mmCIF file of all heavy atoms in Angstrom:
data_model
loop_
_atom_site.group_PDB
_atom_site.id
_atom_site.type_symbol
_atom_site.label_atom_id
_atom_site.label_comp_id
_atom_site.label_asym_id
_atom_site.label_seq_id
_atom_site.Cartn_x
_atom_site.Cartn_y
_atom_site.Cartn_z
ATOM 1 N N MET A 1 107.113 107.841 98.385
ATOM 2 C CA MET A 1 106.654 109.210 98.993
ATOM 3 C C MET A 1 105.273 109.490 98.471
ATOM 4 O O MET A 1 104.989 109.363 97.252
ATOM 5 C CB MET A 1 107.639 110.221 98.570
ATOM 6 C CG MET A 1 107.483 111.555 99.360
ATOM 7 S SD MET A 1 108.809 112.726 98.891
ATOM 8 C CE MET A 1 108.151 113.262 97.351
ATOM 9 N N PHE A 2 104.419 109.932 99.361
ATOM 10 C CA PHE A 2 103.107 110.358 98.942
ATOM 11 C C PHE A 2 102.612 111.444 99.939
ATOM 12 O O PHE A 2 103.183 111.660 100.923
ATOM 13 C CB PHE A 2 102.061 109.164 98.982
ATOM 14 C CG PHE A 2 101.972 108.537 100.311
ATOM 15 C CD1 PHE A 2 100.961 108.877 101.176
ATOM 16 C CD2 PHE A 2 102.843 107.462 100.716
ATOM 17 C CE1 PHE A 2 100.897 108.297 102.407
ATOM 18 C CE2 PHE A 2 102.758 106.899 101.908
ATOM 19 C CZ PHE A 2 101.665 107.153 102.778
ATOM 20 N N ASP A 3 101.554 112.139 99.529
ATOM 21 C CA ASP A 3 101.099 113.194 100.439
ATOM 22 C C ASP A 3 99.831 112.770 101.228
ATOM 23 O O ASP A 3 99.110 111.930 100.787
ATOM 24 C CB ASP A 3 100.801 114.573 99.644
ATOM 25 C CG ASP A 3 99.695 114.407 98.619
ATOM 26 O OD1 ASP A 3 99.448 113.273 98.083
ATOM 27 O OD2 ASP A 3 99.053 115.351 98.309
ATOM 28 N N ASN A 4 99.750 113.352 102.380
ATOM 29 C CA ASN A 4 98.686 112.933 103.327
ATOM 30 C C ASN A 4 98.114 114.144 103.885
ATOM 31 O O ASN A 4 98.791 115.024 104.269
ATOM 32 C CB ASN A 4 99.350 112.050 104.490
ATOM 33 C CG ASN A 4 98.288 111.906 105.557
ATOM 34 O OD1 ASN A 4 97.196 111.551 105.415
ATOM 35 N ND2 ASN A 4 98.789 112.082 106.785
ATOM 36 N N ASN A 5 96.741 114.175 103.800
ATOM 37 C CA ASN A 5 96.068 115.315 104.373
ATOM 38 C C ASN A 5 95.698 115.031 105.835
ATOM 39 O O ASN A 5 94.741 114.350 106.167
ATOM 40 C CB ASN A 5 94.769 115.565 103.593
ATOM 41 C CG ASN A 5 94.330 116.996 103.673
ATOM 42 O OD1 ASN A 5 94.844 117.745 104.331
ATOM 43 N ND2 ASN A 5 93.457 117.298 102.674
ATOM 44 N N CYS A 6 96.661 115.408 106.684
ATOM 45 C CA CYS A 6 96.546 115.067 108.124
ATOM 46 C C CYS A 6 95.567 116.032 108.903
ATOM 47 O O CYS A 6 95.801 117.233 108.771
ATOM 48 C CB CYS A 6 97.889 115.117 108.751
ATOM 49 S SG CYS A 6 97.914 114.739 110.493
ATOM 50 N N GLN A 7 94.709 115.462 109.636
ATOM 51 C CA GLN A 7 93.727 116.323 110.407
ATOM 52 C C GLN A 7 94.433 116.809 111.682
ATOM 53 O O GLN A 7 93.998 117.913 112.217
ATOM 54 C CB GLN A 7 92.471 115.502 110.772
ATOM 55 C CG GLN A 7 91.738 115.045 109.494
ATOM 56 C CD GLN A 7 90.357 114.422 109.783
ATOM 57 O OE1 GLN A 7 90.164 114.048 110.931
ATOM 58 N NE2 GLN A 7 89.549 114.347 108.747
ATOM 59 N N VAL A 8 95.385 116.112 112.149
ATOM 60 C CA VAL A 8 96.097 116.566 113.347
ATOM 61 C C VAL A 8 97.075 117.783 112.996
ATOM 62 O O VAL A 8 97.118 118.785 113.681
ATOM 63 C CB VAL A 8 96.835 115.456 114.081
ATOM 64 C CG1 VAL A 8 97.650 115.930 115.237
ATOM 65 C CG2 VAL A 8 95.892 114.330 114.418
ATOM 66 N N CYS A 9 97.804 117.569 111.885
ATOM 67 C CA CYS A 9 98.648 118.635 111.429
ATOM 68 C C CYS A 9 97.876 119.788 110.800
ATOM 69 O O CYS A 9 98.446 120.855 110.628
ATOM 70 C CB CYS A 9 99.646 118.039 110.331
ATOM 71 S SG CYS A 9 100.774 116.794 110.957
ATOM 72 N N ALA A 10 96.671 119.527 110.456
ATOM 73 C CA ALA A 10 95.788 120.469 109.784
ATOM 74 C C ALA A 10 96.370 120.989 108.437
ATOM 75 O O ALA A 10 96.156 122.206 108.058
ATOM 76 C CB ALA A 10 95.420 121.616 110.681
ATOM 77 N N THR A 11 97.170 120.197 107.728
ATOM 78 C CA THR A 11 97.691 120.588 106.515
ATOM 79 C C THR A 11 98.079 119.304 105.742
ATOM 80 O O THR A 11 98.028 118.244 106.226
ATOM 81 C CB THR A 11 99.046 121.459 106.738
ATOM 82 O OG1 THR A 11 99.466 121.897 105.527
ATOM 83 C CG2 THR A 11 100.051 120.674 107.467
ATOM 84 N N ARG A 12 98.528 119.475 104.492
ATOM 85 C CA ARG A 12 98.993 118.423 103.666
ATOM 86 C C ARG A 12 100.474 118.293 103.844
ATOM 87 O O ARG A 12 101.246 119.121 103.716
ATOM 88 C CB ARG A 12 98.675 118.750 102.267
ATOM 89 C CG ARG A 12 98.985 117.637 101.247
ATOM 90 C CD ARG A 12 98.344 117.920 99.875
ATOM 91 N NE ARG A 12 96.913 117.512 99.901
ATOM 92 C CZ ARG A 12 96.247 117.056 98.950
ATOM 93 N NH1 ARG A 12 96.889 116.824 97.785
ATOM 94 N NH2 ARG A 12 95.027 116.708 98.998
ATOM 95 N N VAL A 13 100.880 116.988 104.344
ATOM 96 C CA VAL A 13 102.227 116.720 104.616
ATOM 97 C C VAL A 13 102.821 115.623 103.710
ATOM 98 O O VAL A 13 101.918 114.800 103.258
ATOM 99 C CB VAL A 13 102.446 116.345 106.103
ATOM 100 C CG1 VAL A 13 102.150 117.609 106.943
ATOM 101 C CG2 VAL A 13 101.579 115.148 106.460
ATOM 102 N N LEU A 14 104.032 115.525 103.527
ATOM 103 C CA LEU A 14 104.639 114.436 102.743
ATOM 104 C C LEU A 14 105.029 113.364 103.682
ATOM 105 O O LEU A 14 105.641 113.557 104.656
ATOM 106 C CB LEU A 14 105.828 114.965 101.990
ATOM 107 C CG LEU A 14 105.570 115.855 100.770
ATOM 108 C CD1 LEU A 14 106.862 116.363 100.120
ATOM 109 C CD2 LEU A 14 104.788 115.064 99.694
ATOM 110 N N ILE A 15 104.649 112.096 103.242
ATOM 111 C CA ILE A 15 105.071 110.897 103.995
ATOM 112 C C ILE A 15 106.068 110.101 103.246
ATOM 113 O O ILE A 15 105.891 109.856 102.026
ATOM 114 C CB ILE A 15 103.845 110.005 104.266
ATOM 115 C CG1 ILE A 15 102.743 110.842 104.999
ATOM 116 C CG2 ILE A 15 104.174 108.772 105.024
ATOM 117 C CD1 ILE A 15 103.009 111.377 106.384
ATOM 118 N N PHE A 16 107.242 109.823 103.937
ATOM 119 C CA PHE A 16 108.285 109.135 103.229
ATOM 120 C C PHE A 16 108.243 107.609 103.581
ATOM 121 O O PHE A 16 107.507 107.287 104.539
ATOM 122 C CB PHE A 16 109.609 109.654 103.624
ATOM 123 C CG PHE A 16 109.875 111.087 103.142
ATOM 124 C CD1 PHE A 16 109.414 112.139 103.865
ATOM 125 C CD2 PHE A 16 110.465 111.268 101.936
ATOM 126 C CE1 PHE A 16 109.557 113.529 103.357
ATOM 127 C CE2 PHE A 16 110.738 112.552 101.462
ATOM 128 C CZ PHE A 16 110.279 113.651 102.134
ATOM 129 N N GLN A 17 108.809 106.839 102.765
ATOM 130 C CA GLN A 17 108.789 105.376 102.893
ATOM 131 C C GLN A 17 109.192 104.975 104.355
ATOM 132 O O GLN A 17 108.706 103.964 104.892
ATOM 133 C CB GLN A 17 109.669 104.764 101.862
ATOM 134 C CG GLN A 17 109.198 103.335 101.546
ATOM 135 C CD GLN A 17 109.492 102.952 100.083
ATOM 136 O OE1 GLN A 17 110.275 103.585 99.420
ATOM 137 N NE2 GLN A 17 108.742 101.995 99.525
ATOM 138 N N SER A 18 110.227 105.620 104.913
ATOM 139 C CA SER A 18 110.694 105.331 106.246
ATOM 140 C C SER A 18 109.653 105.427 107.318
ATOM 141 O O SER A 18 109.782 104.890 108.390
ATOM 142 C CB SER A 18 111.883 106.177 106.556
ATOM 143 O OG SER A 18 111.527 107.495 106.542
ATOM 144 N N GLN A 19 108.566 106.156 106.947
ATOM 145 C CA GLN A 19 107.496 106.442 107.999
ATOM 146 C C GLN A 19 106.332 105.357 107.915
ATOM 147 O O GLN A 19 105.548 105.239 108.719
ATOM 148 C CB GLN A 19 106.864 107.743 107.855
ATOM 149 C CG GLN A 19 107.848 108.866 108.168
ATOM 150 C CD GLN A 19 107.305 110.209 107.679
ATOM 151 O OE1 GLN A 19 107.652 110.693 106.627
ATOM 152 N NE2 GLN A 19 106.513 110.900 108.460
ATOM 153 N N VAL A 20 106.424 104.546 106.734
ATOM 154 C CA VAL A 20 105.400 103.462 106.615
ATOM 155 C C VAL A 20 105.642 102.260 107.443
ATOM 156 O O VAL A 20 106.872 101.776 107.454
ATOM 157 C CB VAL A 20 105.353 103.123 105.033
ATOM 158 C CG1 VAL A 20 104.469 101.926 104.869
ATOM 159 C CG2 VAL A 20 105.037 104.330 104.151
ATOM 160 N N SER A 21 104.760 101.821 108.175
ATOM 161 C CA SER A 21 104.918 100.674 109.051
ATOM 162 C C SER A 21 104.354 99.416 108.369
ATOM 163 O O SER A 21 104.830 98.326 108.663
ATOM 164 C CB SER A 21 104.358 100.918 110.364
ATOM 165 O OG SER A 21 102.902 101.325 110.306
ATOM 166 N N SER A 22 103.375 99.500 107.537
ATOM 167 C CA SER A 22 102.828 98.315 106.872
ATOM 168 C C SER A 22 102.116 98.726 105.598
ATOM 169 O O SER A 22 101.529 99.802 105.493
ATOM 170 C CB SER A 22 101.970 97.512 107.853
ATOM 171 O OG SER A 22 100.661 98.091 107.952
ATOM 172 N N MET A 23 102.099 97.765 104.658
ATOM 173 C CA MET A 23 101.242 97.905 103.527
ATOM 174 C C MET A 23 100.515 96.702 103.252
ATOM 175 O O MET A 23 101.039 95.539 103.206
ATOM 176 C CB MET A 23 102.236 98.117 102.248
ATOM 177 C CG MET A 23 102.839 99.538 102.295
ATOM 178 S SD MET A 23 104.079 99.720 100.955
ATOM 179 C CE MET A 23 102.991 100.514 99.713
ATOM 180 N N THR A 24 99.130 96.741 103.068
ATOM 181 C CA THR A 24 98.301 95.507 102.957
ATOM 182 C C THR A 24 97.555 95.647 101.646
ATOM 183 O O THR A 24 96.893 96.667 101.302
ATOM 184 C CB THR A 24 97.332 95.418 104.160
ATOM 185 O OG1 THR A 24 98.056 95.555 105.366
ATOM 186 C CG2 THR A 24 96.618 94.146 104.106
ATOM 187 N N ASN A 25 97.636 94.641 100.786
ATOM 188 C CA ASN A 25 96.831 94.581 99.675
ATOM 189 C C ASN A 25 95.394 94.216 99.875
ATOM 190 O O ASN A 25 95.157 93.111 100.363
ATOM 191 C CB ASN A 25 97.449 93.607 98.653
ATOM 192 C CG ASN A 25 97.577 94.225 97.234
ATOM 193 O OD1 ASN A 25 96.805 95.003 96.796
ATOM 194 N ND2 ASN A 25 98.642 93.858 96.527
ATOM 195 N N THR A 26 94.454 95.113 99.566
ATOM 196 C CA THR A 26 93.032 94.752 99.874
ATOM 197 C C THR A 26 92.268 94.869 98.511
ATOM 198 O O THR A 26 92.860 95.207 97.546
ATOM 199 C CB THR A 26 92.457 95.674 100.847
ATOM 200 O OG1 THR A 26 92.401 96.957 100.243
ATOM 201 C CG2 THR A 26 93.279 95.740 102.168
ATOM 202 N N ASP A 27 91.030 94.457 98.507
ATOM 203 C CA ASP A 27 90.162 94.580 97.366
ATOM 204 C C ASP A 27 90.030 96.003 96.802
ATOM 205 O O ASP A 27 89.929 96.115 95.605
ATOM 206 C CB ASP A 27 88.768 94.036 97.644
ATOM 207 C CG ASP A 27 88.716 92.548 97.840
ATOM 208 O OD1 ASP A 27 89.767 91.834 97.365
ATOM 209 O OD2 ASP A 27 87.782 92.005 98.384
ATOM 210 N N HIS A 28 90.136 96.987 97.745
ATOM 211 C CA HIS A 28 89.880 98.319 97.237
ATOM 212 C C HIS A 28 91.210 99.077 97.093
ATOM 213 O O HIS A 28 91.248 100.237 96.846
ATOM 214 C CB HIS A 28 88.975 99.039 98.169
ATOM 215 C CG HIS A 28 89.375 98.958 99.718
ATOM 216 N ND1 HIS A 28 88.963 97.819 100.417
ATOM 217 C CD2 HIS A 28 90.074 99.719 100.511
ATOM 218 C CE1 HIS A 28 89.424 97.910 101.715
ATOM 219 N NE2 HIS A 28 90.103 99.099 101.741
ATOM 220 N N GLY A 29 92.354 98.354 97.127
ATOM 221 C CA GLY A 29 93.642 99.049 96.949
ATOM 222 C C GLY A 29 94.665 98.675 97.960
ATOM 223 O O GLY A 29 94.402 97.712 98.758
ATOM 224 N N ILE A 30 95.733 99.355 98.006
ATOM 225 C CA ILE A 30 96.833 99.007 98.980
ATOM 226 C C ILE A 30 96.611 99.919 100.151
ATOM 227 O O ILE A 30 96.609 101.169 100.078
ATOM 228 C CB ILE A 30 98.193 99.313 98.333
ATOM 229 C CG1 ILE A 30 98.345 98.442 97.126
ATOM 230 C CG2 ILE A 30 99.270 98.955 99.335
ATOM 231 C CD1 ILE A 30 99.528 98.875 96.218
ATOM 232 N N GLU A 31 96.358 99.311 101.310
ATOM 233 C CA GLU A 31 96.181 99.972 102.591
ATOM 234 C C GLU A 31 97.514 100.296 103.175
ATOM 235 O O GLU A 31 98.231 99.320 103.627
ATOM 236 C CB GLU A 31 95.337 99.097 103.459
ATOM 237 C CG GLU A 31 94.503 99.956 104.451
ATOM 238 C CD GLU A 31 93.543 99.038 105.212
ATOM 239 O OE1 GLU A 31 93.927 98.477 106.209
ATOM 240 O OE2 GLU A 31 92.422 98.900 104.804
ATOM 241 N N VAL A 32 97.910 101.528 103.339
ATOM 242 C CA VAL A 32 99.191 101.891 103.771
ATOM 243 C C VAL A 32 99.035 102.461 105.248
ATOM 244 O O VAL A 32 98.261 103.365 105.429
ATOM 245 C CB VAL A 32 99.933 102.921 102.886
ATOM 246 C CG1 VAL A 32 101.287 103.247 103.451
ATOM 247 C CG2 VAL A 32 99.971 102.389 101.461
ATOM 248 N N THR A 33 99.674 101.902 106.220
ATOM 249 C CA THR A 33 99.682 102.396 107.572
ATOM 250 C C THR A 33 101.081 103.080 107.793
ATOM 251 O O THR A 33 102.139 102.587 107.495
ATOM 252 C CB THR A 33 99.530 101.291 108.558
ATOM 253 O OG1 THR A 33 98.273 100.584 108.269
ATOM 254 C CG2 THR A 33 99.456 101.809 110.003
ATOM 255 N N PHE A 34 101.020 104.275 108.378
ATOM 256 C CA PHE A 34 102.247 105.118 108.431
ATOM 257 C C PHE A 34 102.115 105.951 109.707
ATOM 258 O O PHE A 34 101.008 106.221 110.252
ATOM 259 C CB PHE A 34 102.493 106.005 107.218
ATOM 260 C CG PHE A 34 101.316 106.894 106.830
ATOM 261 C CD1 PHE A 34 101.236 108.059 107.397
ATOM 262 C CD2 PHE A 34 100.294 106.323 106.119
ATOM 263 C CE1 PHE A 34 100.183 108.908 107.085
ATOM 264 C CE2 PHE A 34 99.252 107.103 105.773
ATOM 265 C CZ PHE A 34 99.117 108.437 106.221
ATOM 266 N N THR A 35 103.210 106.542 110.156
ATOM 267 C CA THR A 35 103.216 107.375 111.248
ATOM 268 C C THR A 35 103.509 108.821 110.758
ATOM 269 O O THR A 35 104.528 109.076 110.073
ATOM 270 C CB THR A 35 104.314 107.025 112.223
ATOM 271 O OG1 THR A 35 104.031 105.687 112.671
ATOM 272 C CG2 THR A 35 104.213 107.918 113.511
ATOM 273 N N CYS A 36 102.558 109.647 110.910
ATOM 274 C CA CYS A 36 102.743 111.078 110.463
ATOM 275 C C CYS A 36 103.789 111.821 111.201
ATOM 276 O O CYS A 36 104.269 111.331 112.292
ATOM 277 C CB CYS A 36 101.331 111.805 110.542
ATOM 278 S SG CYS A 36 101.447 113.496 109.942
ATOM 279 N N TRP A 37 104.221 112.960 110.750
ATOM 280 C CA TRP A 37 105.219 113.790 111.429
ATOM 281 C C TRP A 37 104.792 114.190 112.816
ATOM 282 O O TRP A 37 105.645 114.409 113.733
ATOM 283 C CB TRP A 37 105.511 115.089 110.620
ATOM 284 C CG TRP A 37 106.095 114.762 109.300
ATOM 285 C CD1 TRP A 37 105.408 114.708 108.096
ATOM 286 C CD2 TRP A 37 107.393 114.417 108.942
ATOM 287 N NE1 TRP A 37 106.226 114.474 107.115
ATOM 288 C CE2 TRP A 37 107.482 114.285 107.597
ATOM 289 C CE3 TRP A 37 108.579 114.290 109.756
ATOM 290 C CZ2 TRP A 37 108.741 113.881 106.978
ATOM 291 C CZ3 TRP A 37 109.736 113.974 109.070
ATOM 292 C CH2 TRP A 37 109.781 113.772 107.752
ATOM 293 N N CYS A 38 103.451 114.281 113.108
ATOM 294 C CA CYS A 38 102.945 114.583 114.451
ATOM 295 C C CYS A 38 102.857 113.440 115.418
ATOM 296 O O CYS A 38 102.525 113.554 116.565
ATOM 297 C CB CYS A 38 101.597 115.153 114.235
ATOM 298 S SG CYS A 38 100.391 114.159 113.389
ATOM 299 N N GLY A 39 103.271 112.152 114.843
ATOM 300 C CA GLY A 39 103.226 111.018 115.623
ATOM 301 C C GLY A 39 101.990 110.192 115.620
ATOM 302 O O GLY A 39 101.918 109.200 116.317
ATOM 303 N N THR A 40 101.002 110.622 114.826
ATOM 304 C CA THR A 40 99.745 109.865 114.817
ATOM 305 C C THR A 40 99.800 108.775 113.776
ATOM 306 O O THR A 40 100.377 109.017 112.676
ATOM 307 C CB THR A 40 98.640 110.838 114.377
ATOM 308 O OG1 THR A 40 98.670 112.114 115.073
ATOM 309 C CG2 THR A 40 97.297 110.242 114.541
ATOM 310 N N GLU A 41 99.426 107.578 114.118
ATOM 311 C CA GLU A 41 99.409 106.490 113.197
ATOM 312 C C GLU A 41 98.124 106.649 112.329
ATOM 313 O O GLU A 41 97.026 106.767 112.821
ATOM 314 C CB GLU A 41 99.406 105.092 113.897
ATOM 315 C CG GLU A 41 99.679 103.963 112.885
ATOM 316 C CD GLU A 41 99.916 102.673 113.667
ATOM 317 O OE1 GLU A 41 98.921 102.089 114.052
ATOM 318 O OE2 GLU A 41 101.081 102.297 113.752
ATOM 319 N N GLN A 42 98.324 106.568 111.022
ATOM 320 C CA GLN A 42 97.193 106.778 110.120
ATOM 321 C C GLN A 42 97.213 105.725 108.973
ATOM 322 O O GLN A 42 98.282 105.117 108.752
ATOM 323 C CB GLN A 42 97.338 108.229 109.498
ATOM 324 C CG GLN A 42 97.094 109.233 110.583
ATOM 325 C CD GLN A 42 97.291 110.669 110.017
ATOM 326 O OE1 GLN A 42 96.829 111.011 108.849
ATOM 327 N NE2 GLN A 42 97.865 111.481 110.828
ATOM 328 N N THR A 43 96.086 105.654 108.346
ATOM 329 C CA THR A 43 96.040 104.685 107.248
ATOM 330 C C THR A 43 95.417 105.351 106.066
ATOM 331 O O THR A 43 94.508 106.186 106.091
ATOM 332 C CB THR A 43 94.998 103.514 107.635
ATOM 333 O OG1 THR A 43 95.478 102.929 108.836
ATOM 334 C CG2 THR A 43 94.985 102.405 106.592
ATOM 335 N N GLN A 44 95.948 105.093 104.874
ATOM 336 C CA GLN A 44 95.524 105.572 103.602
ATOM 337 C C GLN A 44 95.433 104.517 102.508
ATOM 338 O O GLN A 44 96.323 103.607 102.523
ATOM 339 C CB GLN A 44 96.443 106.745 103.126
ATOM 340 C CG GLN A 44 95.839 107.579 102.064
ATOM 341 C CD GLN A 44 96.758 108.697 101.659
ATOM 342 O OE1 GLN A 44 97.385 108.726 100.573
ATOM 343 N NE2 GLN A 44 96.995 109.656 102.542
ATOM 344 N N VAL A 45 94.419 104.479 101.810
ATOM 345 C CA VAL A 45 94.222 103.472 100.725
ATOM 346 C C VAL A 45 94.765 104.065 99.402
ATOM 347 O O VAL A 45 94.276 105.121 99.036
ATOM 348 C CB VAL A 45 92.751 103.022 100.630
ATOM 349 C CG1 VAL A 45 92.602 101.942 99.477
ATOM 350 C CG2 VAL A 45 92.316 102.332 101.938
ATOM 351 N N MET A 46 95.648 103.366 98.832
ATOM 352 C CA MET A 46 96.251 103.872 97.586
ATOM 353 C C MET A 46 96.004 102.852 96.478
ATOM 354 O O MET A 46 95.537 101.734 96.672
ATOM 355 C CB MET A 46 97.834 104.089 97.714
ATOM 356 C CG MET A 46 98.043 104.673 99.091
ATOM 357 S SD MET A 46 99.240 105.848 99.237
ATOM 358 C CE MET A 46 100.534 105.338 98.124
ATOM 359 N N GLY A 47 96.364 103.258 95.347
ATOM 360 C CA GLY A 47 96.199 102.284 94.149
ATOM 361 C C GLY A 47 95.196 102.697 93.206
ATOM 362 O O GLY A 47 94.352 103.669 93.524
ATOM 363 N N ARG A 48 95.079 102.016 92.106
ATOM 364 C CA ARG A 48 94.126 102.285 91.005
ATOM 365 C C ARG A 48 92.668 102.232 91.501
ATOM 366 O O ARG A 48 91.911 103.135 91.174
ATOM 367 C CB ARG A 48 94.337 101.373 89.820
ATOM 368 C CG ARG A 48 94.848 102.105 88.638
ATOM 369 C CD ARG A 48 95.096 101.143 87.453
ATOM 370 N NE ARG A 48 96.273 100.321 87.741
ATOM 371 C CZ ARG A 48 96.534 99.195 86.962
ATOM 372 N NH1 ARG A 48 95.676 98.825 86.059
ATOM 373 N NH2 ARG A 48 97.561 98.532 87.213
ATOM 374 N N ALA A 49 92.367 101.272 92.253
ATOM 375 C CA ALA A 49 90.947 101.058 92.706
ATOM 376 C C ALA A 49 90.516 102.233 93.661
ATOM 377 O O ALA A 49 89.449 102.742 93.471
ATOM 378 C CB ALA A 49 90.821 99.714 93.527
ATOM 379 N N ALA A 50 91.462 102.675 94.484
ATOM 380 C CA ALA A 50 91.098 103.778 95.451
ATOM 381 C C ALA A 50 90.905 105.092 94.635
ATOM 382 O O ALA A 50 90.047 105.834 94.919
ATOM 383 C CB ALA A 50 92.275 104.045 96.413
ATOM 384 N N ARG A 51 91.757 105.251 93.589
ATOM 385 C CA ARG A 51 91.629 106.490 92.834
ATOM 386 C C ARG A 51 90.258 106.482 92.013
ATOM 387 O O ARG A 51 89.640 107.452 91.964
ATOM 388 C CB ARG A 51 92.813 106.590 91.807
ATOM 389 C CG ARG A 51 93.589 107.895 92.019
ATOM 390 C CD ARG A 51 94.908 107.835 91.205
ATOM 391 N NE ARG A 51 95.958 107.114 91.819
ATOM 392 C CZ ARG A 51 96.875 106.481 91.115
ATOM 393 N NH1 ARG A 51 96.837 106.474 89.779
ATOM 394 N NH2 ARG A 51 97.785 105.817 91.727
ATOM 395 N N ARG A 52 89.865 105.265 91.482
ATOM 396 C CA ARG A 52 88.697 105.089 90.738
ATOM 397 C C ARG A 52 87.432 105.475 91.557
ATOM 398 O O ARG A 52 86.579 106.207 91.217
ATOM 399 C CB ARG A 52 88.587 103.654 90.172
ATOM 400 C CG ARG A 52 87.726 103.657 88.893
ATOM 401 C CD ARG A 52 87.575 102.203 88.478
ATOM 402 N NE ARG A 52 88.954 101.506 88.346
ATOM 403 C CZ ARG A 52 89.092 100.332 88.780
ATOM 404 N NH1 ARG A 52 88.126 99.519 89.184
ATOM 405 N NH2 ARG A 52 90.301 99.633 88.584
ATOM 406 N N SER A 53 87.441 104.972 92.882
ATOM 407 C CA SER A 53 86.322 105.161 93.693
ATOM 408 C C SER A 53 86.230 106.618 94.158
ATOM 409 O O SER A 53 85.134 107.237 94.345
ATOM 410 C CB SER A 53 86.277 104.247 94.892
ATOM 411 O OG SER A 53 87.506 104.487 95.636
ATOM 412 N N ALA A 54 87.431 107.256 94.331
ATOM 413 C CA ALA A 54 87.502 108.618 94.757
ATOM 414 C C ALA A 54 86.990 109.495 93.698
ATOM 415 O O ALA A 54 86.294 110.540 93.916
ATOM 416 C CB ALA A 54 88.925 109.025 95.078
ATOM 417 N N HIS A 55 87.242 109.071 92.383
ATOM 418 C CA HIS A 55 86.778 109.870 91.257
ATOM 419 C C HIS A 55 85.269 109.803 91.142
ATOM 420 O O HIS A 55 84.559 110.778 90.746
ATOM 421 C CB HIS A 55 87.430 109.326 89.931
ATOM 422 C CG HIS A 55 87.230 110.214 88.783
ATOM 423 N ND1 HIS A 55 87.807 111.436 88.562
ATOM 424 C CD2 HIS A 55 86.385 110.005 87.748
ATOM 425 C CE1 HIS A 55 87.368 111.918 87.412
ATOM 426 N NE2 HIS A 55 86.500 111.095 86.866
ATOM 427 N N ALA A 56 84.747 108.620 91.360
ATOM 428 C CA ALA A 56 83.270 108.415 91.203
ATOM 429 C C ALA A 56 82.488 109.084 92.337
ATOM 430 O O ALA A 56 81.376 109.485 92.106
ATOM 431 C CB ALA A 56 83.007 106.886 91.310
ATOM 432 N N ALA A 57 83.139 109.319 93.466
ATOM 433 C CA ALA A 57 82.423 109.882 94.598
ATOM 434 C C ALA A 57 82.163 111.401 94.437
ATOM 435 O O ALA A 57 82.801 112.068 93.649
ATOM 436 C CB ALA A 57 83.269 109.713 95.928
HETATM 437 ZN ZN1 LIG B 101 100.121 114.840 111.183
#
């Protein structure tokens, strides 16, 4: 479970594992594809590398 700042929902929503359609390990972290509560397919990069780059930005 993680939170997603959805632009369609215009709020921060919780995404559960059952909504995740794929997880891909990339150089910049784990790319998670999921379907939001509003039905929009979205992608979020998670993991240590993603957090590090977000902190640096
Ligand atoms: Zn949404």
Side-chain angles (χ1 to χ4, degrees):
M1 189 178 80
F2 58 95
D3 64 333
N4 170 45
N5 210 345
C6 178
Q7 295 188 346
V8 178
C9 296
T11 186
R12 185 166 279 217
V13 294
L14 284 177
I15 302 299
F16 292 87
Q17 207 148 17
S18 59
Q19 293 167 266
V20 175
S21 52
S22 76
M23 289 175 95
T24 310
N25 226 329
T26 67
D27 286 345
H28 49 277
I30 303 166
E31 207 174 85
V32 183
T33 305
F34 55 91
T35 305
C36 183
W37 297 100
C38 56
T40 314
E41 191 170 82
Q42 294 175 39
T43 303
Q44 195 177 110
V45 177
M46 321 218 323
R48 246 179 286 165
R51 241 173 278 149
R52 207 184 307 140
S53 60
H55 188 75

